C-alpha cells in the first residue's frame, strides 16, 4: 500500500482486504480528503501506513488524529504500535504462508490473543468513548481493522469487552464504513456489503 | 521495555539485548537525558519504543530526531516502520520460540533479507551521510540495532552496501556506543566489550 500525495488528488495504491490500507482509508475519510484508488493485489506490505498517517496529520491537521497533550499522544502511538507493530505483522499473509496451511489458524489466533490481552488492559486505563479519551485518534484507525482480522481468524472476543465496545462504537461512524474492505473498488462481488 | 518519565530522572526498564530498548537508549543518549536503568529480562516486547521516541521528541525537542520538512519526516517514519514494524517483530525471541529451534535461523534470515532488500532500495534515494540526509534521525536509531540482529543471525550483508555504510558511520558516534548492548548494566560478563 502506498499513498502518492500529488495535487490535486492523491492516489492510494490499495488492497481492499489489507488492514494497513484500511487504516489509511479511514484517515483519508476522517480528514475529508478526496483520493483516487488504484487497486493492487499486494500480498506483503510493511508498517509504512503509520508514516502515511503521521504525514497526513502534519500536512492536513484538521480534524486531528493525535491529541494535543504529549502524554495522550504517547498513549495513542503506544496503542497504534502495539497493533501495527506487535500484532498485525505476525498474522499478515506472507507470514502465514511461511507458517504453513495447517498451522495458520493457531498461529494467527495466538498472535492476536496475546496482543489483545495487553491491549484490553491498556485500554481500560486510556479509553473513553474511543481508544484514548473521547476523540477518534490514530489508535482507533488501527483498532477496527485488527478486530476485523480477529473475527476472520475466529478469535473469541468475549475476554475483551473494552476492545469490543470501542470497535462497535467506531463502526457506526461514516469514515469507518466508507473505508471498509467490503466497499472498495477491488472488493470481489461475493464479499461486498 | 518501558520508560517511566518521572522527574528529576526518568527510569528505563530495559533489557540489554533487546533492539527495542537499544533504540530508546540511543535517543536518550542523543538528547543527553540522564536516566536510571532497571534491567528486566523481557522475552517479549512490542513496538512501543517508537511511541517513546516520539514522546521524547515532543517533550525534549533538541537535538531533533525528526527532520523539519514533512516529506523528510515521512521518509524517516517510513524507514522506522519498515524496520520496527516489518522486520523486527518477525525475528524477535517470542516468535522464534514459536517457530521451533530447527527453523529459527532460516526464518529470521528470511525476514531480515526480505526487509533489507526493500530498505536498501529506499535508502539509495533517501540517504546522505545517514538514513535520511545528513542528520541523525529516528530511522538511524532503528537501523543500527537491526543490523546487529542481522549479524547475530549470520545474514550476508554484501548485497546491502548502503545499509552497511550508514551502520558503520553511526557506530562511530558516542550515543550509539554508550547505548550498545555490550555496555549495559545487565550485560553478562562474557558479552561485555
Amino acid at each position: 500500500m502506498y499513498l502518492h500525495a500529488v495535487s490535486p488528488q492523491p492516489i492510494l495504491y490499495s488492497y481492499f482486504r489489507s488492514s494497513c490500507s484500511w487504516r489509511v482509508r479511514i484517515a483519508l475519510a476522517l480528514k475529508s480528503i478526496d483520493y483516487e484508488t488504484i487497486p493492487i493485489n499486494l500480498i506483503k506490505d510493511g508498517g509504512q501506513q503509520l508514516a502515511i498517517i503521521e504525514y497526513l496529520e502534519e500536512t492536513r491537521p484538521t480534524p486531528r488524529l493525535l491529541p494535543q497533550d504529549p502524554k495522550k499522544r504517547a498513549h495513542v502511538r503506544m496503542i497504534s504500535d502495539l497493533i501495527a507493530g506487535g500484532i498485525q505483522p505476525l498474522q499478515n499473509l506472507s507470514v502465514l504462508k511461511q507458517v504453513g496451511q495447517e498451522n495458520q489458524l493457531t498461529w494467527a489466533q495466538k498472535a492476536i490473543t496475546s496482543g489483545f490481552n495487553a491491549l484490553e488492559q491498556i485500554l481500560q486505563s486510556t479509553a473513553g468513548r474511543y481508544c484514548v479519551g473521547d476523540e477518534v485518534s490514530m489508535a482507533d484507525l488501527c483498532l477496527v481493522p485488527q478486530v476485523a482480522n480477529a473475527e476472520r481468524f475466529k478469535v473469541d472476543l468475549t475476554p475483551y469487552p473494552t476492545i469490543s465496545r470501542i470497535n462497535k462504537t467506531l463502526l457506526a461512524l461514516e469514515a469507518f464504513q466508507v473505508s471498509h474492505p467490503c466497499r472498495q473498488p477491488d472488493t470481489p462481488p461475493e464479499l461486498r456489503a
Side-chain angles (χ1 to χ4, degrees), chain A:
Chain A
M1 189 252 326
Y2 179 78
L3 180 73
H4 192 198
V6 288
S7 343
Q9 203 179 36
I11 300 169
L12 182 70
Y13 297 85
S14 167
Y15 176 51
F16 78 101
R17 182 173 261 165
S18 155
S19 53
C20 304
S21 300
W22 189 4
R23 288 179 206 140
V24 174
R25 293 195 303 260
I26 302 170
L28 290 163
L30 283 169
K31 289 180 181 292
S32 307
I33 300 174
D34 277 334
Y35 64 98
E36 185 188 346
T37 300
I38 297 190
I40 41 168
N41 194 329
L42 192 65
I43 294 303
K44 181 178 178 164
D45 50 4
Q48 289 94 326
Q49 72 290 341
L50 289 187
I52 295 176
I53 294 166
E54 297 265 3
Y55 174 79
L56 290 175
E57 180 72 1
E58 286 171 352
T59 54
R60 305 284 285 259
T62 313
R64 55 167 63 250
L65 298 177
L66 287 169
Q68 211 142 6
D69 173 59
K71 267 203 187 156
K72 281 199 177 164
R73 291 164 81 89
H75 288 155
V76 168
R77 289 198 173 104
M78 184 178 69
I79 293 166
S80 304
D81 285 348
L82 172 62
I83 297 172
I87 306 177
Q88 195 275 334
L90 298 180
Q91 47 97 83
N92 72 18
L93 288 178
S94 72
V95 170
L96 292 183
K97 253 170 79 177
Q98 237 182 302
V99 167
Q101 190 88 48
E102 70 284 13
N103 303 318
Q104 285 187 0
L105 195 68
T106 322
W107 173 282
Q109 286 175 338
K110 194 173 162 181
I112 296 170
T113 52
S114 143
F116 274 17
N117 290 341
L119 182 60
E120 176 71 19
Q121 216 181 339
I122 291 170
L123 289 177
Q124 279 172 15
S125 71
T126 62
R129 188 166 168 78
Y130 305 117
C131 283
V132 177
D134 294 325
E135 275 168 46
V136 173
S137 73
M138 184 166 72
D140 300 300
L141 276 54
C142 296
L143 184 79
V144 168
Q146 185 56 59
V147 173
N149 280 337
E151 287 167 345
R152 196 140 63 91
F153 291 115
K154 305 182 179 19
V155 171
D156 173 19
L157 293 174
T158 328
Y160 312 115
T162 318
I163 294 175
S164 303
R165 192 252 308 156
I166 299 170
N167 180 62
K168 203 179 151 190
T169 311
L170 288 163
L171 278 173
L173 303 179
E174 207 202 337
F176 290 75
Q177 289 171 4
V178 296
S179 58
H180 197 283
C182 70
R183 290 173 62 179
Q184 298 313 304
D186 54 336
T187 311
E190 68 274 19
L191 296 177
R192 290 198 165 273

mmCIF file of all heavy atoms in Angstrom, chain A residues 139-168:
data_model
loop_
_atom_site.group_PDB
_atom_site.id
_atom_site.type_symbol
_atom_site.label_atom_id
_atom_site.label_comp_id
_atom_site.label_asym_id
_atom_site.label_seq_id
_atom_site.Cartn_x
_atom_site.Cartn_y
_atom_site.Cartn_z
ATOM 1 N N ALA A 139 -5.068 5.592 17.018
ATOM 2 C CA ALA A 139 -5.237 4.288 17.672
ATOM 3 C C ALA A 139 -6.522 3.604 17.205
ATOM 4 O O ALA A 139 -6.551 2.376 17.010
ATOM 5 C CB ALA A 139 -5.238 4.458 19.187
ATOM 6 N N ASP A 140 -7.570 4.391 17.013
ATOM 7 C CA ASP A 140 -8.844 3.825 16.553
ATOM 8 C C ASP A 140 -8.755 3.327 15.118
ATOM 9 O O ASP A 140 -9.383 2.341 14.748
ATOM 10 C CB ASP A 140 -9.950 4.879 16.691
ATOM 11 C CG ASP A 140 -10.128 5.331 18.129
ATOM 12 O OD1 ASP A 140 -10.441 4.480 18.974
ATOM 13 O OD2 ASP A 140 -9.915 6.525 18.417
ATOM 14 N N LEU A 141 -7.945 4.009 14.310
ATOM 15 C CA LEU A 141 -7.717 3.581 12.919
ATOM 16 C C LEU A 141 -7.044 2.209 12.880
ATOM 17 O O LEU A 141 -7.179 1.468 11.909
ATOM 18 C CB LEU A 141 -6.784 4.562 12.197
ATOM 19 C CG LEU A 141 -7.381 5.819 11.571
ATOM 20 C CD1 LEU A 141 -8.190 6.612 12.556
ATOM 21 C CD2 LEU A 141 -6.274 6.678 10.991
ATOM 22 N N CYS A 142 -6.250 1.932 13.932
ATOM 23 C CA CYS A 142 -5.575 0.638 13.992
ATOM 24 C C CYS A 142 -6.487 -0.436 14.587
ATOM 25 O O CYS A 142 -6.439 -1.600 14.191
ATOM 26 C CB CYS A 142 -4.299 0.762 14.830
ATOM 27 S SG CYS A 142 -3.071 1.861 14.100
ATOM 28 N N LEU A 143 -7.323 -0.014 15.541
ATOM 29 C CA LEU A 143 -8.154 -0.991 16.255
ATOM 30 C C LEU A 143 -9.141 -1.727 15.352
ATOM 31 O O LEU A 143 -9.204 -2.969 15.359
ATOM 32 C CB LEU A 143 -8.921 -0.305 17.390
ATOM 33 C CG LEU A 143 -9.739 -1.279 18.261
ATOM 34 C CD1 LEU A 143 -8.843 -2.003 19.250
ATOM 35 C CD2 LEU A 143 -10.866 -0.566 19.002
ATOM 36 N N VAL A 144 -9.915 -0.962 14.590
ATOM 37 C CA VAL A 144 -11.024 -1.563 13.844
ATOM 38 C C VAL A 144 -10.551 -2.614 12.819
ATOM 39 O O VAL A 144 -11.086 -3.731 12.797
ATOM 40 C CB VAL A 144 -11.900 -0.459 13.204
ATOM 41 C CG1 VAL A 144 -12.881 -1.035 12.192
ATOM 42 C CG2 VAL A 144 -12.658 0.287 14.299
ATOM 43 N N PRO A 145 -9.540 -2.303 11.982
ATOM 44 C CA PRO A 145 -9.071 -3.346 11.056
ATOM 45 C C PRO A 145 -8.512 -4.582 11.783
ATOM 46 O O PRO A 145 -8.649 -5.706 11.301
ATOM 47 C CB PRO A 145 -7.964 -2.635 10.263
ATOM 48 C CG PRO A 145 -8.326 -1.184 10.322
ATOM 49 C CD PRO A 145 -8.911 -1.001 11.690
ATOM 50 N N GLN A 146 -7.912 -4.376 12.960
ATOM 51 C CA GLN A 146 -7.361 -5.521 13.686
ATOM 52 C C GLN A 146 -8.471 -6.394 14.264
ATOM 53 O O GLN A 146 -8.359 -7.617 14.280
ATOM 54 C CB GLN A 146 -6.416 -5.036 14.781
ATOM 55 C CG GLN A 146 -5.708 -6.173 15.509
ATOM 56 C CD GLN A 146 -4.941 -7.072 14.564
ATOM 57 O OE1 GLN A 146 -4.056 -6.638 13.842
ATOM 58 N NE2 GLN A 146 -5.296 -8.359 14.509
ATOM 59 N N VAL A 147 -9.553 -5.781 14.745
ATOM 60 C CA VAL A 147 -10.679 -6.577 15.246
ATOM 61 C C VAL A 147 -11.313 -7.363 14.089
ATOM 62 O O VAL A 147 -11.684 -8.525 14.253
ATOM 63 C CB VAL A 147 -11.724 -5.687 15.959
ATOM 64 C CG1 VAL A 147 -12.965 -6.495 16.321
ATOM 65 C CG2 VAL A 147 -11.120 -5.061 17.215
ATOM 66 N N ALA A 148 -11.376 -6.737 12.908
ATOM 67 C CA ALA A 148 -11.909 -7.462 11.750
ATOM 68 C C ALA A 148 -11.039 -8.683 11.448
ATOM 69 O O ALA A 148 -11.549 -9.768 11.140
ATOM 70 C CB ALA A 148 -11.976 -6.540 10.531
ATOM 71 N N ASN A 149 -9.721 -8.533 11.547
ATOM 72 C CA ASN A 149 -8.832 -9.680 11.365
ATOM 73 C C ASN A 149 -9.071 -10.749 12.425
ATOM 74 O O ASN A 149 -9.076 -11.940 12.126
ATOM 75 C CB ASN A 149 -7.356 -9.243 11.422
ATOM 76 C CG ASN A 149 -6.893 -8.647 10.102
ATOM 77 O OD1 ASN A 149 -7.469 -8.924 9.060
ATOM 78 N ND2 ASN A 149 -5.852 -7.827 10.154
ATOM 79 N N ALA A 150 -9.254 -10.305 13.660
ATOM 80 C CA ALA A 150 -9.529 -11.257 14.747
ATOM 81 C C ALA A 150 -10.786 -12.071 14.434
ATOM 82 O O ALA A 150 -10.812 -13.293 14.631
ATOM 83 C CB ALA A 150 -9.693 -10.513 16.070
ATOM 84 N N GLU A 151 -11.796 -11.390 13.918
ATOM 85 C CA GLU A 151 -13.037 -12.103 13.586
ATOM 86 C C GLU A 151 -12.809 -13.084 12.439
ATOM 87 O O GLU A 151 -13.326 -14.199 12.444
ATOM 88 C CB GLU A 151 -14.139 -11.094 13.244
ATOM 89 C CG GLU A 151 -14.633 -10.381 14.511
ATOM 90 C CD GLU A 151 -15.503 -9.154 14.229
ATOM 91 O OE1 GLU A 151 -15.497 -8.670 13.067
ATOM 92 O OE2 GLU A 151 -16.164 -8.666 15.173
ATOM 93 N N ARG A 152 -12.004 -12.655 11.470
ATOM 94 C CA ARG A 152 -11.690 -13.534 10.349
ATOM 95 C C ARG A 152 -10.986 -14.807 10.830
ATOM 96 O O ARG A 152 -11.199 -15.888 10.290
ATOM 97 C CB ARG A 152 -10.788 -12.779 9.358
ATOM 98 C CG ARG A 152 -10.669 -13.369 8.013
ATOM 99 C CD ARG A 152 -10.668 -12.285 6.923
ATOM 100 N NE ARG A 152 -9.532 -11.376 7.029
ATOM 101 C CZ ARG A 152 -8.351 -11.567 6.411
ATOM 102 N NH1 ARG A 152 -8.173 -12.635 5.663
ATOM 103 N NH2 ARG A 152 -7.388 -10.686 6.512
ATOM 104 N N PHE A 153 -10.165 -14.676 11.864
ATOM 105 C CA PHE A 153 -9.444 -15.846 12.392
ATOM 106 C C PHE A 153 -10.193 -16.494 13.565
ATOM 107 O O PHE A 153 -9.614 -17.262 14.322
ATOM 108 C CB PHE A 153 -8.026 -15.449 12.807
ATOM 109 C CG PHE A 153 -7.139 -15.093 11.656
ATOM 110 C CD1 PHE A 153 -6.647 -13.805 11.502
ATOM 111 C CD2 PHE A 153 -6.805 -16.053 10.708
ATOM 112 C CE1 PHE A 153 -5.828 -13.475 10.424
ATOM 113 C CE2 PHE A 153 -5.991 -15.740 9.634
ATOM 114 C CZ PHE A 153 -5.504 -14.443 9.483
ATOM 115 N N LYS A 154 -11.496 -16.145 13.703
ATOM 116 C CA LYS A 154 -12.357 -16.776 14.694
ATOM 117 C C LYS A 154 -11.826 -16.689 16.132
ATOM 118 O O LYS A 154 -11.904 -17.652 16.909
ATOM 119 C CB LYS A 154 -12.602 -18.247 14.313
ATOM 120 C CG LYS A 154 -13.178 -18.434 12.894
ATOM 121 C CD LYS A 154 -13.440 -19.899 12.604
ATOM 122 C CE LYS A 154 -14.040 -20.147 11.222
ATOM 123 N NZ LYS A 154 -13.884 -19.069 10.200
ATOM 124 N N VAL A 155 -11.270 -15.538 16.477
ATOM 125 C CA VAL A 155 -10.820 -15.325 17.846
ATOM 126 C C VAL A 155 -12.041 -15.003 18.711
ATOM 127 O O VAL A 155 -12.876 -14.177 18.328
ATOM 128 C CB VAL A 155 -9.812 -14.152 17.913
ATOM 129 C CG1 VAL A 155 -9.508 -13.773 19.356
ATOM 130 C CG2 VAL A 155 -8.536 -14.508 17.162
ATOM 131 N N ASP A 156 -12.138 -15.663 19.867
ATOM 132 C CA ASP A 156 -13.227 -15.388 20.796
ATOM 133 C C ASP A 156 -12.995 -14.026 21.454
ATOM 134 O O ASP A 156 -12.002 -13.821 22.152
ATOM 135 C CB ASP A 156 -13.263 -16.494 21.866
ATOM 136 C CG ASP A 156 -14.271 -16.194 22.968
ATOM 137 O OD1 ASP A 156 -15.184 -15.354 22.747
ATOM 138 O OD2 ASP A 156 -14.145 -16.786 24.055
ATOM 139 N N LEU A 157 -13.926 -13.095 21.234
ATOM 140 C CA LEU A 157 -13.716 -11.731 21.730
ATOM 141 C C LEU A 157 -14.343 -11.477 23.106
ATOM 142 O O LEU A 157 -14.244 -10.370 23.644
ATOM 143 C CB LEU A 157 -14.241 -10.714 20.710
ATOM 144 C CG LEU A 157 -13.460 -10.671 19.380
ATOM 145 C CD1 LEU A 157 -14.129 -9.737 18.376
ATOM 146 C CD2 LEU A 157 -12.007 -10.225 19.611
ATOM 147 N N THR A 158 -14.968 -12.511 23.683
ATOM 148 C CA THR A 158 -15.608 -12.349 25.000
ATOM 149 C C THR A 158 -14.651 -11.788 26.063
ATOM 150 O O THR A 158 -15.057 -10.937 26.856
ATOM 151 C CB THR A 158 -16.199 -13.692 25.499
ATOM 152 O OG1 THR A 158 -16.639 -14.444 24.366
ATOM 153 C CG2 THR A 158 -17.327 -13.473 26.483
ATOM 154 N N PRO A 159 -13.366 -12.223 26.097
ATOM 155 C CA PRO A 159 -12.480 -11.680 27.139
ATOM 156 C C PRO A 159 -12.076 -10.222 26.910
ATOM 157 O O PRO A 159 -11.306 -9.692 27.709
ATOM 158 C CB PRO A 159 -11.228 -12.570 27.055
ATOM 159 C CG PRO A 159 -11.599 -13.740 26.205
ATOM 160 C CD PRO A 159 -12.698 -13.282 25.311
ATOM 161 N N TYR A 160 -12.569 -9.602 25.841
ATOM 162 C CA TYR A 160 -12.116 -8.247 25.511
ATOM 163 C C TYR A 160 -13.281 -7.269 25.396
ATOM 164 O O TYR A 160 -13.576 -6.737 24.322
ATOM 165 C CB TYR A 160 -11.313 -8.282 24.206
ATOM 166 C CG TYR A 160 -10.279 -9.381 24.191
ATOM 167 C CD1 TYR A 160 -10.372 -10.446 23.292
ATOM 168 C CD2 TYR A 160 -9.219 -9.376 25.098
ATOM 169 C CE1 TYR A 160 -9.428 -11.468 23.300
ATOM 170 C CE2 TYR A 160 -8.274 -10.388 25.112
ATOM 171 C CZ TYR A 160 -8.394 -11.432 24.211
ATOM 172 O OH TYR A 160 -7.465 -12.441 24.230
ATOM 173 N N PRO A 161 -13.975 -7.017 26.523
ATOM 174 C CA PRO A 161 -15.174 -6.164 26.463
ATOM 175 C C PRO A 161 -14.871 -4.728 26.028
ATOM 176 O O PRO A 161 -15.667 -4.121 25.314
ATOM 177 C CB PRO A 161 -15.714 -6.200 27.905
ATOM 178 C CG PRO A 161 -14.550 -6.620 28.749
ATOM 179 C CD PRO A 161 -13.720 -7.511 27.883
ATOM 180 N N THR A 162 -13.717 -4.183 26.431
ATOM 181 C CA THR A 162 -13.407 -2.795 26.070
ATOM 182 C C THR A 162 -13.106 -2.704 24.578
ATOM 183 O O THR A 162 -13.603 -1.818 23.873
ATOM 184 C CB THR A 162 -12.205 -2.274 26.887
ATOM 185 O OG1 THR A 162 -12.344 -2.718 28.241
ATOM 186 C CG2 THR A 162 -12.138 -0.766 26.856
ATOM 187 N N ILE A 163 -12.266 -3.626 24.080
ATOM 188 C CA ILE A 163 -11.976 -3.671 22.646
ATOM 189 C C ILE A 163 -13.270 -3.777 21.848
ATOM 190 O O ILE A 163 -13.493 -3.039 20.880
ATOM 191 C CB ILE A 163 -11.043 -4.873 22.318
ATOM 192 C CG1 ILE A 163 -9.667 -4.671 22.957
ATOM 193 C CG2 ILE A 163 -10.938 -5.099 20.817
ATOM 194 C CD1 ILE A 163 -8.709 -5.845 22.797
ATOM 195 N N SER A 164 -14.139 -4.694 22.260
ATOM 196 C CA SER A 164 -15.377 -4.937 21.512
ATOM 197 C C SER A 164 -16.292 -3.713 21.530
ATOM 198 O O SER A 164 -16.888 -3.355 20.510
ATOM 199 C CB SER A 164 -16.137 -6.132 22.103
ATOM 200 O OG SER A 164 -15.319 -7.272 22.103
ATOM 201 N N ARG A 165 -16.383 -3.086 22.694
ATOM 202 C CA ARG A 165 -17.279 -1.932 22.831
ATOM 203 C C ARG A 165 -16.803 -0.761 21.960
ATOM 204 O O ARG A 165 -17.579 -0.152 21.215
ATOM 205 C CB ARG A 165 -17.310 -1.510 24.320
ATOM 206 C CG ARG A 165 -18.384 -0.534 24.671
ATOM 207 C CD ARG A 165 -17.898 0.869 24.950
ATOM 208 N NE ARG A 165 -16.822 0.965 25.919
ATOM 209 C CZ ARG A 165 -15.975 1.979 25.960
ATOM 210 N NH1 ARG A 165 -16.046 2.964 25.057
ATOM 211 N NH2 ARG A 165 -15.015 2.023 26.877
ATOM 212 N N ILE A 166 -15.497 -0.474 21.990
ATOM 213 C CA ILE A 166 -14.964 0.635 21.188
ATOM 214 C C ILE A 166 -15.105 0.321 19.695
ATOM 215 O O ILE A 166 -15.478 1.184 18.895
ATOM 216 C CB ILE A 166 -13.483 0.908 21.549
ATOM 217 C CG1 ILE A 166 -13.369 1.305 23.019
ATOM 218 C CG2 ILE A 166 -12.904 1.995 20.657
ATOM 219 C CD1 ILE A 166 -11.942 1.375 23.540
ATOM 220 N N ASN A 167 -14.822 -0.914 19.320
ATOM 221 C CA ASN A 167 -14.936 -1.316 17.921
ATOM 222 C C ASN A 167 -16.341 -1.076 17.392
ATOM 223 O O ASN A 167 -16.524 -0.536 16.301
ATOM 224 C CB ASN A 167 -14.558 -2.797 17.797
ATOM 225 C CG ASN A 167 -14.652 -3.301 16.370
ATOM 226 O OD1 ASN A 167 -13.944 -2.813 15.493
ATOM 227 N ND2 ASN A 167 -15.541 -4.266 16.134
ATOM 228 N N LYS A 168 -17.316 -1.448 18.202
ATOM 229 C CA LYS A 168 -18.717 -1.296 17.797
ATOM 230 C C LYS A 168 -19.075 0.192 17.626
ATOM 231 O O LYS A 168 -19.727 0.577 16.653
ATOM 232 C CB LYS A 168 -19.614 -1.941 18.860
ATOM 233 C CG LYS A 168 -20.974 -2.341 18.330
ATOM 234 C CD LYS A 168 -21.813 -2.992 19.400
ATOM 235 C CE LYS A 168 -23.285 -2.732 19.112
ATOM 236 N NZ LYS A 168 -24.139 -3.132 20.243
#
